Amino acid sequence: MNKTINVSKYITFKNYYSTTAKTTFKTAICGPYKIKGLDIKDRNELYSLDIGSIKNKLNQLKEETNLLLKEGGDGLIRDLSKALNLSSDNLKFNITKSPFTLRAYLMAANQGISFYHHELRKQINPTDDYERQKRKDLVYKLQSQEIDSLTSNKKKSTSEAKKSMSLERELEIVREQQQEQQHFDQQISVSTKWEMGQLEIQPSIDTFQQDELFVSFNPYESLSTNSQCYQLVSRLSKFLWKEDLTKWEMFSSSKLNQLIPQLQLHILDKITLNQHENDSIVINQFLDSIQFISNEINSTDLKIFKTLNDNNNNYNNNNNNNNNNNNNNNNNNNNNNNNNNNNNNNNNNNNNNNNNNNLLSKPIIENSIENGGDFKKIINSSIVDSLIYMKGHHFRITSEPFILFFEQLKENQDYFSSLDQYKQFLEKLLDSLLFETIEFDPTTTINNRQFEYKLKLDLLRREAFRQFKVYQVYNTSPDPKRHQEADLRKLTHLFKTMQKRSTIDFIQESKKYLSPQILSNGIINSNGLLASNELNQSKTSISISQLSEGLHSCIPATMSLLEFSIKNSSKDNILFDTVDGKLKDINCLDDLITKFANSKYMYQRESLSQRFSMFTQSWLINNNNNNNNNNNNNNNNNNNNNNNNNNNNNNDIIIGLGNPIYKLLIDLEDKVLELSQNDFEENPIENWIGNLSIELDDEDDNLEYQDTNKFNIIASQNYNLVRINNQMLAQLHKTFSEDLDQQIEELELSIKNKKVLEREIKTHNDTISKLIKDSRNSTTPTLYFIGIQDNQVYTLEIPDEWETVWNLLKSYPNGLLLKDFIDKQTFVSKEVFLSTLTDLNKYGVVGLFPNY
């Protein structure tokens, strides 16, 4: 009997890796830029003003800032983005939100604070125990020698026997390595890694550290949360440290470190006056919040004790309420049916009361702040975060590597050792953010030196963090004391080199004593501050291996397709849209990933897969933009500006990648990724159709029409019907989801004749190349079912007529009689239609249930 579906089982689930209005700016000459603050002397004068006067001062600040951005915005954004290593689009969105946001970014730039890209900065994990690799190599050598001795009849000489290691010792080393591997695997499972295309820092307490020098740009974070501005102001707030720092001192100082960032995030970033009656509420909130923060900076220990007790009481009360509610529910279950209604009403009232109590114990959401919520509750609730931070980081900052690091910092500039001096500094920082005139000069060498100083410290801090994690957290080393002492000596040497020698010499020594992974700090140094040394090279300062892992975790088939095409495309076998079949300056997949890492698309707030998709389509996007710009050009000035923009965009273009096949394949893999994120163990009822449906066996393939009144049919929720403009896409995905290297290895093992092997490999590659060419030329719209059954992802090609059939079946969410459903179809014979349904049932697209 003819089948009407084409099935591709292409990947095993368990192996699948786990806005605001635009502001128009004019171009201006490079700085210096002077940005005035509120036209108020200090906070005492601010507190003495009435609401109307404060409103006028705020409006004046807003107008002056808008005028600056209007007259010199392009130049300011260009210079500031270079200083901060942040994309212009991202920077523009943030600095136009509020005058105080712009001021925070300028203050950061003046101190050399910069941004690193979260995905391009090599994150520390157990693989950074470099001694472990040496031990693995030793075991491999011993095992190889054992194999050689078993396969060779040659006897060892007396001298060789004396030099060789005893068999007992060899076996002991192998056993130790096996135990280490088990421990290593366990540590890897709970450490930082890529999950479904996102780089997740584990444990989560490591995502934020107050003593970091730079700020993380994380493309997964929503623009509305603006956590990067929070981090930035936290860097401006410095921190408290001394070698004998107590837990109480660390807790108190970490609470202080959060105050001005919280004010920036919840109040200063969001202050807008719209000439409404609510303006008075906004201004009162602005004033009250500043007063509250000022008081909190100088808060006494007794007040902190009270706040801790209040939070603890709220927590206990909520737990008691929840326990009482559970008891009520248990009692209700034992009551008779006559009392059910009354008991349910009482439970609803109890639940509502508990919800209100929970709201009081949690940080107030941002919308509540905007609607007049209480900022004080956020600060009081954040004291819990300070306690958690102290518990998670006190051990780290009092460890040997970090003591060595902190001792190299400049006291009262990089950190403070006195709590009183730290409070005085925060008072001054608050005044600077509100009132002082800020001057930003991108041409001065002072900012460059500040950035260079922090850049060197950041490298050494990264090494200190690596040593702390490897020797005191992961514990993957069998002899941690000896190896840590050696590593600490290297770190001490580098600190002395930084103090006494030039930056170039320091970088050369760092390359000698530090792993390249540590040098991958995620800072794409576009302003050329370190152009005279190798740290400025893109392959050094960004982790291509980590980004490659991320891409393979979400779009493995696309990566495999590109790698095969780069290796095998030529003038005689064109797999790219170029004359010679080659991509310019791209000799391997890492070259292409490096190009992507340095492109503007890395800074788009999209998933990693979609950012790479935009990168592959950059030639088409740029072409369309050029056409639009040319159509809109009215004068020579516009032409010049557009040409400059186009030249900048050309750096992101890879000519030859414009074929839609890459976007289609990435979109398909995104759908697979979305499906594979469903956790059926957490919600076992989610896939109830696939779990409970009757699965027809092979002998049941000849299900007759007269038997269809014995079954009900229902559409699975685990499958989506999609239309894709490429008939070859499913086969392409299936092919490149398989391990092509393993297929070659199997040929090498099975074929010993060299000429025959070369011929078979060529045939193998030619077959795949033909599939790529056919896929690139295919534009036929095709329907596919895409979904999961039994932890297996499937694509099923289906005739176009099935779109109407599927929509009809979905309109009966609770199912209908199979006979009635078949009777509604007329485009094929009942026998063919029934055969197709049988196949769909096998893959879980439809469920069949007995009709009793």
Side-chain angles (χ1 to χ4, degrees), residues 747-839:
L747 288 176
E748 291 173 343
L749 289 173
S750 61
I751 302 174
K752 302 303 180 183
N753 186 289
K754 184 177 179 180
K755 290 185 177 180
V756 175
L757 176 61
E758 290 175 352
R759 184 172 66 248
E760 289 299 317
I761 291 177
K762 183 178 184 304
T763 302
H764 174 270
N765 290 340
D766 287 345
T767 302
I768 296 178
S769 295
K770 184 179 185 306
L771 173 62
I772 295 174
K773 295 173 185 176
D774 292 343
S775 301
R776 292 167 61 83
N777 295 327
S778 174
T779 57
T780 305
T782 307
L783 281 179
Y784 295 96
F785 279 116
I786 302 176
I788 292 180
Q789 174 71 0
D790 297 330
N791 291 341
Q792 191 80 37
V793 179
Y794 294 94
T795 59
L796 298 89
E797 185 180 338
I798 202 81
D800 285 352
E801 292 83 1
W802 269 84
E803 185 171 14
T804 304
V805 175
W806 182 250
N807 291 334
L808 173 65
L809 186 57
K810 295 283 282 186
S811 67
Y812 292 89
N814 299 319
L816 75 161
L817 191 66
L818 177 58
K819 181 178 182 301
D820 294 343
F821 179 59
I822 293 176
D823 289 341
K824 295 177 183 294
Q825 315 310 321
T826 58
F827 67 93
V828 291
S829 68
K830 288 181 172 57
E831 290 76 14
V832 173
F833 187 75
L834 186 58
S835 175
T836 303
L837 283 177
T838 304
D839 285 338

Side-chain angles (χ1 to χ4, degrees), residues 14-46:
K14 64 180 181 180
N15 290 334
Y16 204 86
Y17 288 101
S18 18
T19 66
T20 56
K22 293 183 179 180
T23 304
T24 303
F25 299 131
K26 294 181 181 178
T27 303
I29 301 174
C30 293
Y33 305 95
K34 289 188 177 182
I35 293 85
K36 296 181 180 179
L38 282 170
D39 187 16
I40 300 173
K41 181 180 178 181
D42 53 27
R43 275 173 284 151
N44 289 331
E45 182 181 342
L46 174 66

Side-chain angles (χ1 to χ4, degrees), residues 491-503:
L491 191 57
T492 302
H493 167 72
L494 290 174
F495 276 121
K496 291 179 179 178
T497 303
M498 187 188 77
Q499 294 168 355
K500 297 179 180 180
R501 299 172 66 178
S502 68
T503 296

